[in-house]
Amino acid sequence: MLFRELNLNPTILAALQAKGYETPTPIQAGAIPPILAGRDLWGCAQTGTGKTAAFALPILNNLSSRPFVKTNAVRALVLSPTRELALQIAEQFDAYGKGLRLRTTVIFGGVSDYGQKQKLRQGVEILVATPGRLMDLLAQKALTLDHVEVFTLDEADRMLDMGFIHDVRRIATLLPQKRQTLLFSATMPPEIRSLAKSLLHDPVNVEVSPVSSTVSKIEQSVYHVSRNMKPNLLGHLLKDETIRSALVFTRTKHGADKVVRALDRFGVFAEAIHGNKAQGARQRALTNFKSGRTRVLVATDIASRGIDVQEISHVFNYDLPEVAESYVHRIGRTGRNGASGMAVAFCDAEERSYLRQIERVTRTQLPVLALPEMAAPPPMSAEAIRLEAERSARPERGNDRGPRGTRSEGGRSSYGGRPASSNSYGERSPYSQAGSHSSGNRGPRREFSSAPRAEGAVRTDRPERSGERSDAPRSYGNAAASRPQGGSTGSGGYGDSRGPRREGSGAPRQEGRSEYTPFWKRFSGASPADRRRPSQQESRRD
């Protein structure tokens, strides 16, 4: 069967011919006719067999042939579990629909939604989205789904998993009852089947291969290696220049960054892609890997779903996945479109149960390879040692400030205060000495004895001031008592140009004279009645 026998639009056939596609894959040949007829479909096929084109081609054909009165409305909605897969689906819609007057837009999280809202206002017929960002824009009323004709779930098993089930169900309630629903995935666990059937109406089931099966052209093997020897084994294998491009999968985001640093010691440049990376960094790393600038890409399972990178020769499972179906998606990144590939797994003692589960689901006994003679990793360079020391000394709070309440080295507080040797004007404080405070302009750190001060003792730890004797009694908090006696202006002066001092300003307060009390203190007693204003008190008499 050829594409021209499927009754597709001539514009679409010209786009396929320009890409060199003439014969459809089994999933495409089985799915395109019922979708063109308007039937709901449930498609399950191996990874890398062209499932995206299996629903993109008939959707473009149907939308271009149907008249539509409402303009600037979403007519086809495609949900994707990851940002990278959403971008890839949108690119294929643009490539296959070149020449058709159908606008395609992709929306996903991790970036600003301003540009996405602008595109939605201009109008879009085909919308590819991730569930989180779609729910955000629906809450902001930036778009409506009242005119959706085709609803597609790509990688349906992950989309309908517990992490996405609520979003998918809520989105389905916002769609018209009369619509076409399509589900595609490489795996379909039994517990997901009943949930998927609730979204489909009289579906056509297309299974071109056993569920959770792998491509036969992928050569699989496993190394039994301890966890601490995995970096050495990976670095030793990647030194082989015959490995054109390799995709390394880890279980955690932190583990992906550790593998990148470990490969750097072996002289192997690699980049990491995971959920903690910004969208720009993720897209840049993926672009470098596709173009061949980066030979090794380390990723979590975020890259195991639908990322179409041609000519990946090797896939390394540095950490075995906990879910056996994820192994099928991982190794499906190689051996695409009929090509051959190699999948190598590292299994330590704690991952033996994962390996047995993978062999049971895939119905394949992985051959065990003997460990090669590995040399010790080369010593770290001076630059790598410096970066590793800085990374280990970095505080856990994620910034360059120390824990709250502590002082760092260099005479600066954890809040970025001035050095202890300078006052608030940037001048060197006269109190600067050894043992001074390490933060701000608080003056010297004085050593105080725990014993009480003797009565009548005078403090002598402060420097003398001009115009007063160091043994004169001090009166803190009373400005009049602390002024110097006598001066250049004559008797009763201040000793400066402020004029004569008023008589009695330094005299003690007379007995019986009441001190002024603020209003808020006057009526702040313990009982609620005392805290009321005088006009509100019941016992007050005018």
Side-chain angles (χ1 to χ4, degrees):
M1 179 182 290
L2 300 177
F3 276 114
R4 62 173 177 266
E5 301 176 9
L6 296 176
N7 297 325
L8 293 174
N9 190 303
T11 306
I12 300 177
L13 292 176
L16 291 172
Q17 188 176 3
K19 282 183 161 292
Y21 300 151
E22 295 182 358
T23 305
T25 61
I27 184 63
Q28 295 170 359
I32 290 178
I35 297 177
L36 290 174
R39 298 283 302 276
D40 287 4
L41 185 131
W42 181 1
C44 186
Q46 296 171 343
T47 301
T49 55
K51 292 189 298 296
T52 303
F55 64 81
L57 296 177
I59 288 177
L60 290 169
N61 185 88
N62 291 345
L63 294 183
S64 62
S65 61
R66 296 173 187 169
F68 193 68
V69 178
K70 176 70 175 178
T71 59
N72 298 342
V74 178
R75 302 177 61 187
L77 175 63
V78 181
L79 287 186
S80 165
T82 62
R83 310 172 196 174
E84 287 75 17
L85 181 55
L87 287 169
Q88 175 192 321
I89 295 174
E91 290 175 0
Q92 295 201 23
F93 268 102
D94 290 334
Y96 298 142
K98 192 174 183 180
L100 300 176
R101 301 185 62 181
L102 296 174
R103 290 166 293 185
T104 303
T105 299
V106 57
I107 60 175
F108 48 82
V111 296
S112 174
D113 60 355
Y114 178 77
Q116 299 172 0
K117 291 180 181 178
Q118 293 293 329
K119 292 182 179 179
L120 291 174
R121 292 192 188 102
Q122 296 172 5
V124 55
E125 285 80 22
I126 302 173
L127 179 64
V128 184
T130 55
R133 178 50 60 90
L134 180 61
M135 295 296 295
D136 292 341
L137 295 181
L138 287 173
Q140 301 176 31
K141 298 182 179 180
L143 76 157
T144 178
L145 303 178
D146 298 336
H147 302 279
V148 172
E149 302 175 14
V150 184
F151 177 44
T152 305
L153 291 177
D154 195 17
E155 304 294 345
D157 55 344
R158 176 65 66 91
M159 294 297 302
L160 298 179
D161 204 355
M162 294 305 296
F164 299 99
I165 180 174
H166 301 293
D167 292 340
V168 171
R169 281 181 170 175
R170 185 174 179 182
I171 292 171
T173 59
L174 301 176
L175 299 173
Q177 291 293 331
K178 187 179 179 181
R179 68 175 187 272
Q180 185 180 15
T181 305
L182 312 175
L183 280 80
F184 285 87
S185 180
T187 61
M188 194 63 65
E191 60 271 16
I192 302 299
R193 290 178 178 267
S194 59
L195 182 61
K197 289 180 181 179
S198 64
L199 299 176
L200 301 174
H201 175 69
D202 190 20
V204 176
N205 190 7
V206 179
E207 292 186 10
V208 298
S209 59
V211 179
S212 299
S213 61
T214 58
V215 180
S216 58
K217 290 188 176 182
I218 299 178
E219 183 180 347
Q220 305 177 56
S221 58
V222 61
Y223 283 101
H224 288 287
V225 59
S226 60
R227 177 170 295 274
N228 59 348
M229 289 299 295
K230 282 186 177 182
N232 294 351
L233 178 59
L234 182 62
H236 175 79
L237 296 177
L238 289 178
K239 279 186 174 182
D240 187 1
E241 297 296 335
T242 60
I243 300 179
R244 301 185 306 273
S245 61
L247 189 57
V248 183
F249 284 103
T250 61
R251 188 179 299 116
T252 62
K253 308 169 187 176
H254 177 66
D257 293 331
K258 284 187 64 177
V259 170
V260 172
R261 295 194 296 268
L263 291 178
D264 184 63
R265 297 183 60 184
F266 288 89
V268 178
F269 176 74
E271 288 186 284
I273 175 174
H274 51 71
N276 283 353
K277 296 281 187 179
Q279 181 59 30
R282 290 164 59 170
Q283 196 62 29
R284 192 182 314 112
L286 193 58
T287 302
N288 293 339
F289 186 62
K290 287 182 178 180
S291 62
R293 298 177 184 175
T294 303
R295 190 170 66 99
V296 180
L297 182 66
V298 185
T300 56
D301 283 330
I302 189 175
S304 66
R305 294 278 174 154
I307 299 302
D308 188 11
V309 180
Q310 301 296 330
E311 300 180 357
I312 296 181
S313 60
H314 290 70
V315 170
F316 292 91
N317 283 282
Y318 186 86
D319 296 322
L320 290 181
E322 299 178 357
V323 181
E325 285 77 8
S326 298
Y327 175 82
V328 178
H329 288 279
R330 286 184 177 186
I331 68 173
R333 299 310 100 203
T334 184
R336 301 180 71 85
N337 299 326
S340 61
M342 295 188 63
V344 182
F346 296 169
C347 180
D348 58 27
E350 299 177 358
E351 297 174 333
R352 298 290 177 88
S353 60
Y354 301 154
L355 179 60
R356 289 193 296 268
Q357 184 181 4
I358 290 171
E359 293 177 342
R360 182 171 60 251
V361 170
T362 60
R363 303 179 182 90
T364 304
Q365 185 75 23
L366 300 184
V368 180
L369 301 180
L371 291 176
E373 295 183 3
M374 295 177 291
M380 298 177 64
S381 61
E383 182 69 14
I385 294 176
R386 184 185 65 82
L387 294 177
E388 192 68 24
E390 292 180 358
R391 191 178 295 109
S392 60
R394 192 176 300 164
E396 297 181 358
R397 293 179 61 191
N399 50 32
D400 55 352
R401 298 189 298 182
R404 191 176 296 275
T406 62
R407 297 185 177 94
S408 59
E409 298 180 359
R412 298 183 71 89
S413 68
S414 61
Y415 301 96
R418 294 186 179 91
S421 60
S422 62
N423 55 21
S424 59
Y425 299 96
E427 302 171 352
R428 188 169 183 83
S429 172
Y431 301 111
S432 299
Q433 55 187 359
S436 62
H437 286 293
S438 64
S439 174
N441 53 353
R442 305 178 190 175
R445 186 191 301 274
R446 304 181 183 90
E447 301 294 337
F448 295 103
S449 173
S450 59
R453 186 185 300 174
E455 185 175 359
V458 179
R459 294 181 60 174
T460 61
D461 55 346
R462 288 187 174 89
E464 297 185 3
R465 300 180 182 177
S466 60
E468 62 175 332
R469 300 193 306 270
S470 61
D471 57 347
R474 299 180 182 275
S475 177
Y476 301 100
N478 189 346
S482 62
R483 290 171 183 148
Q485 304 297 327
S488 60
T489 59
S491 176
Y494 283 98
D496 53 19
S497 59
R498 286 183 286 176
R501 184 173 57 185
R502 291 185 301 170
E503 294 293 336
S505 60
R509 188 179 298 277
Q510 299 178 2
E511 295 183 3
R513 183 179 176 181
S514 61
E515 186 177 358
Y516 171 75
T517 305
F519 176 83
W520 63 274
K521 281 188 177 181
R522 227 180 301 172
F523 304 102
S524 59
S527 63
D530 294 338
R531 292 196 294 268
R532 291 183 291 186
R533 291 178 176 272
S535 60
Q536 299 174 346
Q537 294 184 7
E538 300 176 357
S539 60
R540 176 177 172 81
R541 294 182 180 179
D542 296 330

